[in-house]
Amino acid sequence: MPKSGTTQAPVGAQPATIASTRLLWLLGPALVAGVAYLDPGNVASNMTAGARFGYLLVWVVIAGNLMAWLIQYLSAKLGIVTGSSLPEILGARLRRPLGRRLYWMQAELVAMATDLAEIIGGAVALYLLFGLPLLAGGIITGVISMLVLTVQTRRGPRSFEKVVLALLLIIAVGFTAGVFFAPPDAAGVAGGLVPRFEGANSVLLAASILGATIMPHAIYAHSALARDRFPDIVGSTATRRLLWATRWDVSIAMAIAGTVNLALLLLAASALQGAPGTDSLPGAYAALQANLGPLVATLFAVGLLASGLASTSVGAYAGAEIMHGLLHIRVPLLLRRLVTLIPALLILGLGFDPTLALVLSQVVLSFGIPFALIPLIWLTSRRDVLGDYTNRWFTTAAGIVAAVLLVALNVVLLVLIFTGA
């Protein structure tokens, strides 16, 4: 239910002037959540799609980005209007302890799978840059992510945003630089805007791209990020102002994420099409080094490292919120980071193939999407939850269409993987 009553304005803004606060001050939560769209799973999916099928799946990246805009805006709106995160609202509505625990278990598996992909990405990047063993790289990635989370716990959300945004800048430079050395073919890009597939493998990659794009933990995290950034809303004017700013915030975040993801696919299509080994991160790095030189390959590895560090920090934040909202247990963020780090380090220490681990993590994420997406659309369409800010009918309709498409494609992804197609 929307909070009522007179409360204090967010730190840094006076109650009387919050409605006229500059847009720039209101930006940030979506940019942090948007890091989830640039994690190592996205890198692997987009690079593989471009190397195998050229420009064929350009339309999938764009369609996924448009759906992500709607989903992230709804998540942020839920947090701003209600003052609660999606896990908190679900935890309050799931009255039976067993149902709440079962829901938490699937969300927890999603959080761990997300963390697995991001720790592996950071470990692989350190191996590529410095030749470090994967286990050592995973430990270093985990330790640095804990330092980033310390900023959140001690300095607050605004400082945390600044650190993540700095990493986001490194990611953008590292992943887009190669496009300037190997410009894509304009006619090929235009042809890739036409929705179509070429066999089961292209369907599998399309589902992988969407599965890596629309991630459950980003939905959980964004509502909490918006809540923490704007803990108290004064009056309806302030709420409308924040929602207006949030549309800009989400638009900027998705524009950056979409551009970088598209650049990865275009780079692979223009410079790596048909190159062997591009279905793994080390293979993509080697192909870039062979075809475009060490500078582009090094920038790619640096971007991959920043991607792993930023996305694993946001993932740990989402995991802590999931546990708090559904189990009503407040675990210190750094302890939570340590707990979810252990499974990733065990997999790296046992010598498990990192590429296969990335694929399996995407399978788990595919299972988790309906459990985050469907409740989000349902809650934001209910007047008893959002009051005057309830979705308009066409927003809910668009959300339902996006949910049906995403769930259907993820079912296809699971079927193709388990049947070996």
Side-chain angles (χ1 to χ4, degrees), residues 135 175 216 308 335 376 414-415:
L135 179 58
F175 288 161
L335 177 60
L376 174 68
L414 294 173
V415 169

Side-chain angles (χ1 to χ4, degrees), residues 64-390:
N65 207 58
L66 292 174
M67 287 188 282
W69 186 97
L70 175 63
I71 292 164
Q72 293 307 133
Y73 173 68
L74 293 180
S75 177
K77 182 170 77 166
L78 185 68
I80 289 171
V81 175
T82 65
S84 300
S85 68
L86 177 58
E88 284 177 327
I89 296 173
L90 291 173
R93 286 178 170 262
L94 293 170
R95 302 301 177 92
R96 294 185 178 180
L98 178 60
R100 209 167 52 244
R101 288 173 189 142
L102 290 174
Y103 194 97
W104 167 78
M105 286 180 63
Q106 64 80 27
E108 189 68 33
L109 286 173
V110 165
M112 288 186 176
T114 301
D115 207 42
L116 172 64
E118 291 153 356
I119 291 294
I120 286 176
V124 169
L126 288 171
Y127 167 75
L128 297 175
L129 288 169
F130 306 110
L132 292 177
L134 290 177
L135 179 58
I139 293 172
I140 292 172
T141 301
V143 169
I144 296 176
S145 70
M146 292 179 74
L147 294 176
V148 173
L149 289 170
T150 302
V151 175
Q152 162 73 10
T153 56
R154 295 188 178 182
R155 301 290 299 275
R158 190 64 172 162
S159 297
F160 180 60
E161 285 174 12
K162 291 178 181 178
V163 174
V164 174
L165 290 179
L167 291 171
L168 180 61
L169 178 61
I170 297 172
I171 294 169
V173 173
F175 288 161
T176 61
V179 174
F180 297 96
F181 291 85
D185 175 62
V189 175
L193 297 174
V194 180
R196 66 191 192 282
F197 296 106
E198 289 181 3
N201 282 333
S202 65
V203 177
L204 175 61
L205 274 172
S208 298
I209 290 172
L210 290 175
T213 299
I214 313 296
M215 302 182 73
H217 81 285
I219 300 174
Y220 296 125
H222 201 167
S223 58
L225 287 164
R227 176 206 62 196
D228 291 349
R229 181 73 150 73
F230 310 112
D232 300 295
I233 307 300
V234 182
S236 60
T237 303
T239 301
R240 292 192 186 280
R241 168 76 173 176
L242 286 174
L243 291 177
W244 172 78
T246 296
R247 293 188 193 99
W248 279 100
D249 194 22
V250 175
S251 296
I252 294 169
M254 292 300 99
I256 293 172
T259 299
V260 173
N261 280 318
L262 187 59
L264 287 167
L265 188 148
L266 296 180
L267 173 62
S270 61
L272 305 181
Q273 191 168 1
T278 51
D279 55 349
S280 69
L281 294 174
Y285 171 85
L288 286 173
Q289 191 170 42
N291 289 274
L292 297 179
L295 175 60
V296 172
T298 300
L299 288 173
F300 171 81
V302 170
L304 182 62
L305 177 59
S307 167
L309 292 173
S311 54
T312 194
S313 300
V314 175
Y317 175 92
E321 183 59 35
I322 289 167
M323 181 174 285
H324 164 65
L326 293 170
L327 297 186
H328 306 149
I329 299 173
R330 178 69 76 178
V331 177
L333 198 53
L334 295 181
L335 177 60
R336 166 75 199 194
R337 161 74 283 180
L338 187 61
V339 169
T340 55
L341 180 63
I342 292 173
L345 294 181
L346 283 175
I347 287 176
L348 290 174
L350 292 172
F352 200 80
D353 180 14
T355 300
L356 179 57
L358 278 173
V359 171
L360 293 177
S361 72
Q362 299 308 304
V363 173
V364 175
L365 292 177
S366 298
F367 277 116
I369 283 178
F371 294 98
L373 185 53
I374 294 173
L376 174 68
I377 296 168
W378 177 68
L379 288 169
T380 54
S381 68
R382 293 183 62 89
R383 184 162 291 276
D384 63 328
V385 177
L386 292 189
D388 292 339
Y389 302 100
T390 303

